[in-house]
Amino acid sequence: MVKRSNSHRGRLIVFEGIDGAGKTTQIELLEQYLRKSGRPVFRTAEPTDSESGKMLREILSGNVSRTSEELAVLFTLDRIFHNVGSENGIAKMLANGVDVICDRYYYSTIAYQGNETDPAWVAQMNLDCPSIAKPDLCIFLDLSAEESMKRIEAGRSKREIFETRERLEQVRRAFFNAFERLPDENIRIVNAARPIAEIADEIAALTDAILSK
Ligand code: TYD
């Protein structure tokens, strides 16, 4: 059971993982878990739906070309907006005692963009930014590229599958490299190759631990 915490401030919980790891399902289940125990929850994601988020989606879709450094700065800019936004900003939510569950955060920028440019710079830009909140918990849903491919391969050609698999492996490695740069963060690697309920139970326990602090 979720314990009532002494602190009024909400908690920031981030989910990361490669494609097919089950972020969406587990985010949904954690949201329900927190709501059931009477905690207000705000669910959000990056890139955001703001102008900077739209710009990022345009770049990610391949319509516009940008360097890795430009991308790293744009994702960080989008994150600053995400934190300080006057309507649904993370800072405001946390201050109002609302728990925030975020699908991707700076771990993604350090993993994806850091892998293509100087990761120390990417990490520093995010960690040292006064308006980017440090998560109370980062849950990395860990799945092998092989297992991930099994879950998402339907309907794709062999060649595409091969390329995607290589890419998934690269991204997974990039996440672990990123985590090594972040010794002061509460990052939990959760084995995502298990039944949904088992994973949800582990995440609930990890969440209980930060709520009672
Ligand atoms: P999205 O449509 O949210 O897909 P997903 O379900 O995979 O989260 O697209 C997010 C994409 O953006 C994803 O491929 C990872 C990438 N990304 C970065 O490269 N850097 C970042 O900082 C973030 C937040 C996402």
Side-chain angles (χ1 to χ4, degrees):
M1 273 302 288
V2 169
K3 280 184 212 144
R4 282 254 162 234
S5 135
N6 296 328
S7 158
H8 178 65
R9 186 183 166 273
R11 302 298 196 271
L12 175 57
I13 303 169
V14 170
F15 280 77
E16 299 276 6
I18 62 172
D19 271 359
K23 276 190 293 138
T24 309
T25 306
Q26 292 300 331
I27 286 173
E28 179 80 41
L29 291 171
L30 181 62
E31 181 181 6
Q32 283 172 19
Y33 177 73
L34 289 168
R35 280 198 197 287
K36 262 190 209 149
S37 56
R39 295 185 66 100
V41 186
F42 176 64
R43 188 169 151 181
T44 186
E46 295 189 359
T48 68
D49 292 331
S50 71
E51 286 309 309
S52 49
K54 279 183 206 147
M55 201 189 295
L56 280 163
R57 287 189 193 283
E58 194 67 17
I59 298 165
L60 291 171
S61 70
N63 293 338
V64 189
S65 172
R66 290 281 182 267
T67 67
S68 306
E69 289 78 22
E70 286 175 303
L71 264 175
V73 171
L74 279 173
F75 273 112
T76 306
L77 170 66
D78 190 45
R79 186 159 305 119
I80 292 173
F81 167 81
H82 200 188
N83 272 267
V84 304
S86 56
E87 249 175 60
N88 288 329
I90 292 172
K92 201 172 168 185
M93 292 289 170
L94 297 176
N96 288 339
V98 177
D99 294 326
V100 176
I101 307 179
C102 188
D103 187 345
R104 297 191 185 280
Y105 202 60
Y106 52 56
Y107 312 95
S108 277
T109 315
I110 301 166
Y112 288 87
Q113 281 66 52
N115 201 37
E116 311 285 328
T117 178
D118 178 359
W121 167 67
V122 178
Q124 189 191 7
M125 175 166 57
N126 279 272
L127 301 180
D128 290 353
C129 177
S131 47
I132 295 180
K134 178 179 173 177
D136 297 282
L137 174 64
C138 167
I139 291 161
F140 181 71
L141 290 173
D142 187 32
L143 201 63
S144 67
E146 211 154 24
E147 192 58 41
S148 165
M149 276 319 296
K150 274 192 207 153
R151 293 187 187 181
I152 59 181
E153 72 189 348
R156 296 193 195 172
S157 77
K158 272 212 169 110
R159 196 188 139 90
E160 277 169 340
I161 288 168
F162 176 71
E163 285 175 354
T164 310
R165 193 206 140 110
E166 297 281 288
R167 173 74 188 143
L168 288 168
E169 241 155 37
Q170 191 188 34
V171 172
R172 182 168 178 257
R173 249 179 283 130
F175 268 110
F176 283 108
N177 289 339
F179 296 153
E180 275 178 24
R181 305 190 159 270
L182 304 167
D184 297 334
E185 304 265 324
N186 187 16
I187 299 163
R188 301 304 169 122
I189 314 290
V190 171
N191 175 4
R194 293 177 298 160
I196 289 172
E198 210 175 299
I199 300 167
D201 284 350
E202 183 177 345
I203 292 171
L206 291 170
T207 303
D208 283 348
I210 60 155
L211 295 181
S212 57
K213 270 184 193 160

